[in-house]
Amino acid sequence: MPGHERAPEAAGLSVPPALATGEIEVLGALPESSNAALLVRCVAPDDSVLAVYKPMRGEAPLWDFPDGTLHRREVAAFELARALGWPRVPPTVLRGGPFGPGSMQRFITFDPAEHFFTLEVAHADAFRRVALFDLAVNNADRKAGHCLLDEDGEIWVIDHGVCFAVEPKLRTVIWTFVDEPLPSDAAEDLARVRRELEPGGEVAATLGALLAPDEVAATAQRIDRVLAEGRFPEPEPGVRPFPWPPI
């Protein structure tokens, strides 16, 4: 049925059962996080996965985002990436835990010496899609260190708690592609997901369970704007375009 096509499941974007329902064993706190972030092991009868658990009660208040919503934005970012088929956002679910409800995201083993500035030339095509994704979700904090290189040489992106604001807030280190035409296949994916953001669409329902109605509507409007322009835009006037610190 037109408008209801499903993207093929991108490699690594399926949710492991252990992540969604396994028993949670807390291993320790992750350092240098502005909000509570715990490394945990999720254990199911036939599998176990390492994960990052971000409980709602550990979120620091922000003046420009509603309290208690950052973990839901993490899940919404994964769901939009899964609908698109890109970029690689680690599987992330909303679930209870030892410190209350929060987001649970599969832990990616990565090379800590690598980040966007060391990877951007060799992985330009992957980062074009990251840049498009950040435009769609209005990512207010795309630092270079949020771009991970895994053991198989694939790029993953993390930390999406300050996405989906209605007001323009895009702050990113990825301005490499300004004025380039959008990749045609990525534009097709955006158009497909945009159809599913219409009322009654599957993506609209999924995001609507995690975000405010005006935030879902603003996501559709941002995708409309990107597709209408057909090119990677310049920074919005009057908005600080870079995160701090950049890495």
Side-chain angles (χ1 to χ4, degrees), residues 36-191:
L38 304 173
L39 181 66
V40 303
R41 181 180 289 110
C42 299
V43 182
D46 300 320
D47 191 23
S48 68
V49 294
L50 291 177
V52 177
Y53 167 46
K54 295 183 178 180
M56 178 179 67
R57 64 191 287 186
E59 295 176 5
L62 298 174
W63 69 269
D64 52 349
F65 284 87
D67 290 350
T69 67
L70 304 190
H71 65 296
R72 303 179 75 86
R73 297 170 194 277
E74 293 270 11
V75 180
F78 166 68
E79 291 292 353
L80 188 61
R82 180 159 63 163
L84 286 165
W86 48 263
R88 283 183 170 85
V89 174
T92 313
V93 298
L94 190 68
R95 61 171 297 189
F99 299 103
S103 62
M104 190 73 68
Q105 182 174 90
R106 184 164 72 86
F107 179 81
I108 301 298
T109 302
F110 66 99
D111 183 346
E114 301 281 9
H115 50 72
F116 171 71
F117 295 122
T118 68
L119 297 165
E120 59 177 315
V121 174
H123 297 271
D125 285 344
F127 284 121
R128 286 183 176 90
R129 283 156 179 76
V130 175
L132 276 177
F133 179 75
D134 286 345
L135 286 166
V137 303
N138 195 19
N139 192 345
D141 192 37
R142 173 63 72 208
K143 294 181 172 68
H146 296 167
C147 305
L148 312 181
L149 182 70
D150 74 8
E151 295 172 314
D152 297 320
E154 301 288 355
I155 300 297
W156 295 81
V157 287
I158 61 169
D159 284 351
H160 297 102
V162 287
C163 292
F164 296 105
V166 173
E167 303 82 4
K169 291 183 182 293
L170 182 66
R171 291 190 285 271
T172 176
V173 295
I174 308 177
W175 292 107
T176 310
F177 312 111
V178 167
D179 207 36
E180 278 192 14
L182 305 183
S184 59
D185 56 345
E188 290 171 3
D189 290 333
L190 281 169

